[in-house]
Structures are given as C-alpha cells and as structure tokens.
Amino acid sequence: MLLEIENLQYNINEKPLFSGFNLSIEEQKNHLLVGPSGSGKTTLINLICGLLSPEKGAIRVAGHDIAALSESGRDKIRREHIGIVFQTLRLVSALDLSANLLLAQRLSRGTIDASLITSLLKRLGIAHRAKAKPHQMSQGEAQRAAIARALVTRPRLLIADEPTSALDETNARQVMDLLLECTADYGATLLIATHDDRLTPLFPNRIVLTDHMLKAA
C-alpha cells in the first residue's frame, strides 16, 4: 500500500478536525480529495507530507510512518517518495529551469539524471524554455515547470493542492491532462485536493470530506 492512514486524530483550537480517520491508497490508483472550503483538504495534505503532526494515529507513506519520524526523517521521506505541485512556482530565481531541476534531483537523491529532465521538459512542451529564468516564464509555462519540478525526482506519490482553482476551462483541462498523462508515464500515483467540480469526471476514485468525516465515493 502506497499510503495508509490509521485512526488519525488532529485538532484545531482543541476541536477535532479529524477523529478516527482512515484512508488507504494503492500504488497507481489516482484519487481526488474533495470537499468544501474548511473541510480539511489542505490540512490532510500537510499531514500526509509530514508538514503537520497529528495528535494520534499513523500516516504511512511507502511503508514509513511519517508521523512518527523526526523532522530530518520526514524530510528524507518527502525527498525520496513525495512530489508536490504547488499553486505558485517555487524555483530558485537566479537559476534557469534546467538548473533548477538538476538542483532538485541532487538535493533529493544525491545524483542527477539529465535524460529524465530532457524527457520531462519535452513531454510538457517547455523544452525550448530550459534556459529561461522563473520570472521569464508565462503562467502556462510556470504551471508546466511546477509539474516538472514535482516529477523530476521520480516520486511514488504526487500531490497537488488546488491545481486548477484559478484556471479557466481550457487551461484547467490542459493542466489535468498533463498531470494524468505524466504520472502514468513516470510511474507516480496522483492525489489531488480540490473543490473544483470540473475534475470529478476524470477520477473514478474519490475521497469526500464532509463535516470532517471521511466518505469514499
């Protein structure tokens, strides 16, 4: 099992947001995490990534209980197993796109794979922007660069938080097509947190957060 959550307890202002929460996601089974604003989607993503700590429960990513690890241990699990597509482009401004991706690989695994970077940039349609600095990229190019940054370390779990919330119909579909196709091409499992109903038809597996309770759809 790629992701397992058992008996999760997490409180906000001493009130339970999650209580007795359980979830399992198998390898290569993409999931959509949906629910209204305030239902806990982003909080759950942060718990899975080890950016927040639960009061109780286990959160296992690739067999490692990230909730039980030290901060350095959590960093290691994120580097080795988790890719995150942020809503804003998080690259080193002084480096071009290709150099940013090389740096991400080196920091994650201690080695580089230039052929993977070339393949990703070509697949995402931004090979011609390999030498562009982050501020020189358009919004669409930046979106694709964010996907490349998340995939360049070959993560087993790729997480995206509201990747289409600010996009129109055409751009939202393009971003989703790229995420789905690239995760399939590079062997990652996709988990998307969103309140964008346009994505629902694309995902047979859905996790619905309602009143802070888990329901599988």
Side-chain angles (χ1 to χ4, degrees):
M1 196 67 64
L2 177 60
L3 173 64
E4 292 180 282
I5 299 177
E6 292 183 0
N7 198 31
L8 175 65
Q9 175 79 33
Y10 185 78
N11 301 333
I12 293 182
N13 297 325
E14 300 184 354
K15 295 182 179 180
L17 178 64
F18 297 106
S19 181
F21 185 97
N22 297 286
L23 173 65
S24 296
I25 294 180
E26 297 178 14
E27 201 100 37
Q28 303 295 303
K29 296 289 186 182
N30 297 330
H31 279 68
L32 202 64
L33 176 63
V34 299
S37 296
S39 61
K41 298 186 302 298
T42 297
T43 298
L44 183 57
I45 291 300
N46 287 333
L47 285 162
I48 292 170
C49 293
L51 301 174
L52 293 174
S53 299
E55 272 72 32
K56 296 179 181 178
I59 303 172
R60 286 187 287 273
V61 178
H64 304 276
D65 187 356
I66 196 168
L69 296 175
S70 64
E71 189 56 44
S72 61
R74 295 181 185 194
D75 284 341
K76 186 174 186 291
I77 297 304
R78 282 192 292 269
R79 289 195 308 268
E80 294 182 353
H81 299 292
I82 301 174
I84 305 173
V85 180
F86 294 101
Q87 294 185 46
T88 57
L89 185 59
R90 299 190 181 186
L91 296 179
V92 178
S93 59
L95 300 178
D96 62 37
L97 177 55
S98 182
N100 265 285
L101 299 183
L102 286 167
L103 176 63
Q105 285 184 332
R106 188 175 294 111
L107 291 175
S108 175
R109 299 191 178 272
T111 59
I112 60 173
D113 183 350
S115 63
L116 174 59
I117 292 174
T118 300
S119 172
L120 267 173
L121 294 182
K122 183 177 180 180
R123 179 68 188 81
L124 291 164
I126 51 174
H128 64 295
R129 303 299 282 157
K131 297 303 179 184
K133 301 287 181 62
H135 72 274
Q136 296 173 321
M137 288 185 273
S138 68
Q139 180 183 8
E141 290 167 347
Q143 289 166 346
R144 287 162 172 76
I147 297 172
R149 172 62 182 82
L151 284 169
V152 75
T153 59
R154 288 195 179 275
R156 293 176 66 180
L157 177 63
L158 183 67
I159 296 175
D161 188 7
E162 300 286 5
T164 61
S165 60
L167 302 179
D168 61 25
E169 188 76 31
T170 299
N171 285 317
R173 186 56 191 253
Q174 289 177 346
V175 167
M176 283 313 308
D177 286 345
L178 285 170
L179 280 169
L180 288 167
E181 292 167 9
C182 285
T183 49
D185 289 347
Y186 295 99
T189 299
L190 182 61
L191 174 62
I192 291 185
T194 188
H195 65 268
D196 189 343
D197 293 336
R198 297 174 298 182
L199 306 190
T200 301
L202 304 176
F203 287 81
N205 304 306
R206 294 184 295 279
I207 304 154
V208 184
L209 296 182
T210 305
D211 296 328
H212 316 315
M213 299 296 292
L214 178 68
K215 297 179 181 179

